[in-house]
Amino acid sequence: MKTAAELLAQGAEELRRAGVDSPALSARVLLARVLDCSLEKLVICLKDPVEPWHAEHFQQIIVRRSKGEPLAYILGCKEFYGLDFQVDPNVLIPRPETEMLVELIRGRFSPREKKEYADIGTGSGILAICIALYFPLFRCLACDISRQALLMARNNARKHGLLQRILFFASDMGQGIRPASLDFIVCNPPYLSCDDFEAAGREVRDFEPKQALLSRENGLGHIQRLKGVAEASLRKQGLLFLEIGSNQADAVKALFQDWAGLEVYQDLSGRDRVMAAVIP
Ligand code: GLN
């Protein structure tokens, strides 16, 4: 039987050869998952022998990771805004830059307010859920075109105790939402052009749902459609909080020029990332 330390060295070496990021840490995370223990516990049992079936399982997931499958899909979870979410290949893996949308909304409203909002293209449900957790009186309509994504979002909402305040709704970009029924909309739409998609890493291109990433009209197709849906479904003075591609600020400003209070905010790497605007 091999020890945990030997398996880790071997796994990390395989990941390194495959060009995977952070090979040593990834190997540790994967072995901890196989042994169902924490990273801290793993460190103190490095010299212990590992049962052959665990070693074999570890080897299998090292191979998956070496082929580029994202760690989040192998583990089936990903942290976002300090919370744990289930993910699978039907939903986009939450990105840290999307946390800006939650921050922005936390800066705009008070937890004592009562609002109704929609998360359009909810995916794993991260935005719908984080916002609902910080605003105990808000109610949410979470939409997605993918029924598998909605199931995942629903599981996540259940896990965070929010099934009472989030309603799930199968819809293409929020079509079918009741007119003038929302105080705000939050949306991380697909916004990559074909070129952006080709330039995205292999892990994104080969493993994440294309439907959640790619949009026609040079990446702006979904945002154009969202504008119409937002104009119909927002109440007076309703707000839209939108994630955009770092090269789309000018196009989005032009598209929303008839709206008020339009602001574009940069992410931590200084790239344009989110937009907020008020319906006229
Ligand atoms: N930010 C994502 C990426 O670069 C794209 C997310 C999206 O299209 N909404 O892969």
Side-chain angles (χ1 to χ4, degrees):
M1 268 193 277
K2 287 192 171 143
T3 64
E6 286 166 338
L7 285 175
L8 281 178
Q10 197 181 309
E13 180 51 30
E14 258 186 83
L15 295 177
R16 190 172 304 114
R17 263 189 274 126
V20 167
D21 272 354
S22 318
L25 177 62
S26 304
R28 262 180 276 148
V29 169
L30 292 173
L31 188 57
R33 163 53 65 94
V34 167
L35 300 177
D36 193 21
C37 72
S38 64
L39 285 175
E40 293 75 16
K41 168 97 192 298
L42 184 62
V43 171
I44 54 172
C45 58
L46 286 176
K47 296 207 175 91
D48 295 355
V50 173
E51 299 290 349
W53 57 87
H54 282 147
E56 198 175 308
H57 182 198
F58 175 66
Q59 184 52 33
Q60 283 165 359
I61 59 181
I62 287 287
V63 169
R64 284 168 63 187
R65 185 69 192 107
S66 302
K67 291 185 177 155
E69 186 171 343
L71 197 58
Y73 289 151
I74 297 175
L75 298 174
C77 61
K78 176 77 184 176
E79 190 190 297
F80 177 81
Y81 211 67
L83 300 166
D84 196 45
F85 290 92
Q86 267 185 49
V87 293
D88 73 7
N90 293 305
V91 298
L92 207 64
I93 298 169
R95 313 282 203 263
E97 56 269 27
T98 304
E99 294 180 349
M100 278 190 73
L101 283 171
V102 183
E103 285 283 296
L104 199 59
I105 289 166
R106 287 187 68 193
R108 292 280 180 123
F109 302 105
S110 132
R112 285 184 296 274
E113 285 179 274
K114 236 176 154 168
K115 301 274 176 207
E116 287 170 314
Y117 66 103
D119 174 9
I120 296 184
T122 192
S124 57
I126 52 169
L127 290 168
I129 290 168
C130 289
I131 296 163
L133 282 175
Y134 279 95
F135 295 94
L137 305 176
F138 284 16
R139 301 187 78 84
C140 178
L141 188 60
C143 316
D144 207 289
I145 191 171
S146 154
R147 286 179 190 269
Q148 288 101 322
L150 280 179
L151 281 176
M152 182 58 74
R154 206 163 192 287
N155 278 342
N156 281 318
R158 182 183 302 113
K159 183 168 142 180
H160 292 289
L162 289 168
L163 283 184
Q164 303 288 335
R165 286 196 291 126
I166 303 179
L167 187 70
F168 294 89
F169 177 47
S171 146
D172 183 7
M173 284 315 280
Q175 279 172 42
I177 297 179
R178 209 154 32 86
S181 61
L182 299 170
D183 298 299
F184 71 90
I185 290 173
V186 62
C187 178
N188 176 14
Y191 57 67
L192 299 187
S193 65
C194 293
D195 290 348
D196 295 333
F197 182 74
E198 288 310 318
R202 177 174 70 122
E203 299 195 5
V204 175
R205 274 197 326 265
D206 293 353
F207 292 92
E208 295 201 78
K210 237 178 169 171
Q211 184 173 236
L213 289 162
L214 253 181
S215 189
R216 288 166 197 260
E217 311 288 339
N218 212 14
L220 290 164
H222 286 75
I223 298 180
Q224 289 164 356
R225 283 168 54 207
L226 177 68
K227 183 176 186 250
V229 168
E231 285 167 350
S233 57
L234 285 172
R235 299 187 172 120
K236 267 200 189 119
Q237 298 296 308
L239 286 130
L240 172 64
F241 301 95
L242 178 66
E243 181 169 322
I244 60 171
S246 54
N247 50 359
Q248 290 174 334
D250 288 342
V252 168
K253 280 181 193 161
L255 180 65
F256 285 88
Q257 59 179 333
D258 53 333
W259 283 43
L262 192 145
E263 306 248 19
V264 170
Y265 301 85
Q266 287 75 41
D267 62 20
L268 292 175
S269 41
R271 281 180 248 190
D272 291 333
R273 185 59 59 197
V274 304
M275 181 210 94
V278 185
I279 195 171

